[in-house]
């Protein structure tokens, strides 16, 4: 769930940053996708670390 939320947040953040800088629609898409990839990857790595150190069980409610 964390990587999905981070990806959506990154997309929105990139879109807003490009819009504030006066970018065209193509610029907004480029910023949004770039931020989404970066935040999604970071969220994925954080999720792996959380499971690795044992804060949450791997298989859900097991």
């Amino acid at each position: 769930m964390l990587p999905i939320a981070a990806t959506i947040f990154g997309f929105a953040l990139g879109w807003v940053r490009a819009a504030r800088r006066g970018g065209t629609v193509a610029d907004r898409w480029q910023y949004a996708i770039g931020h989404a990839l970066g935040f999604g990857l970071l969220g994925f790595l954080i999720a792996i670390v959380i499971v690795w150190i044992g804060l949450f069980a791997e298989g859900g409610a097991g």
Side-chain angles (χ1 to χ4, degrees), residues 8-37:
I8 293 169
F9 175 75
F11 186 91
L13 179 67
W15 189 275
V16 170
R17 287 187 67 193
R20 285 186 181 168
R21 293 176 183 222
T24 64
V25 175
D27 293 329
R28 293 176 190 189
W29 275 106
Q30 184 175 1
Y31 267 65
I33 292 172
H35 280 72
L37 288 171

